[in-house]
Amino acid sequence: MQDIIALMQQPEAWVALGTLVVMEVVLGIDNLLFISILSNKLPEGQRERARRVGIGLALVLRLGLLATIAWIVQLTQPVVTILGNELSWKDMILIAGGLFLVWKATKEIHHHVDPADHEDTMVGVAGVSFGSAIVQILILDLVFSIDSIITAVGMTPHVEIMVVAVVTAVTVMLLAANPLAAFIGKNPTIVMLALSFLLLIGTTLIAEGFGVHVPKGYVYAAMAFSAIVEGLNMWARNARLRKQAASR
C-alpha cells in the first residue's frame, strides 16, 4: 500500500499512466472493431452478451498476462529462424493472428459483396453460432492482449500503472461496444470500411511479426482519413435523401 501511495506522488508516474491509457485505448479499438462486427452476425438477443463476454475475456487475458510479466518478456527472445528471419514466440503469435484476421476479413468481404450471398450479409443475420463467435473473439483477444501487455512493459516498469491502464482501456471498450456495433449495423457501408481496417491491421501484424516495423501513426492516420471520407459521403447521402423527401 505504501508503495502505491509513493508511486502516486511521482509526476512521471502520472505521465506514464496517461500515455499508457491512451496507447491501450488505441490498441483496444482494433479489438473492439472485430468484436462489434462479429457480434452483429449473431441473433439480436445474443449480440450484447457476446460483446460483454468478448470484452470480459480481453480483460481476463490482459490481467492474467500481467501476472506473468517475466514470462511475457521472454516471448521477445528469438526461438526459431525462418527464411533468414529470427522469430520469437511473440512474432509467431502476431503472424498467426494477422493471418487469421486477413482470412476472416477477406471471407466477410466476399460474403458482403457476392450477389449470390446477398441474403447472408454480415448485418442482421446469424452467420455464426454463439460458441463459434466467442472462440474467434478469444483468438483475437489473445493476440491483441499480448501486443498490449508487451507495449505496456516497454513503457513502464510499474505493474500497478499497467493494471490501471488496462482496466481503464477495457472499461472504455465496454462503454463503446454497443454504440459502435449499433452504428456499424445501421450503416452497411461502414461494415466494408471496418473490414478494410481489419484487413489493414492483419497485414500490419504479419509485417511486424517478420520484423518490418510499421509506424502505428501511419496506420491510424490512414484509417482516420478513410473514416473522414466515409463520414463526408454519409453526410452528402443524407442531405440528398432529405432533399428528395422535401421535394415530394
Side-chain angles (χ1 to χ4, degrees), residues 86-132:
E86 292 185 340
L87 303 180
S88 64
W89 283 112
K90 177 202 171 186
D91 296 329
M92 289 186 282
I93 290 171
L94 289 179
I95 292 170
L99 288 172
F100 174 78
L101 207 52
V102 168
W103 168 76
K104 187 64 180 177
T106 302
K107 178 182 176 182
E108 300 300 347
I109 288 173
H110 171 73
H111 288 172
H112 191 68
V113 301
D114 191 343
D117 296 328
H118 182 68
E119 295 182 354
D120 188 28
T121 58
M122 289 189 59
V123 180
V125 179
V128 294
S129 66
F130 184 85
S132 174

Side-chain angles (χ1 to χ4, degrees), residues 51-63:
R51 287 190 286 270
R52 291 185 180 278
V53 170
I55 295 172
L57 288 172
L59 177 60
V60 171
L61 281 172
R62 282 164 169 77
L63 294 179

Side-chain angles (χ1 to χ4, degrees), residues 162-208:
M162 298 180 202
V163 171
V164 173
V166 165
V167 172
T168 302
V170 173
T171 302
V172 171
M173 288 173 61
L174 189 61
L175 294 174
N178 288 340
L180 178 61
F183 181 72
I184 290 175
K186 292 178 181 178
N187 298 275
T189 56
I190 294 295
V191 176
M192 186 61 67
L193 183 64
L195 287 172
S196 299
F197 287 169
L198 293 180
L199 199 59
L200 176 62
I201 294 164
T203 304
T204 302
L205 289 176
I206 295 171
E208 294 203 349

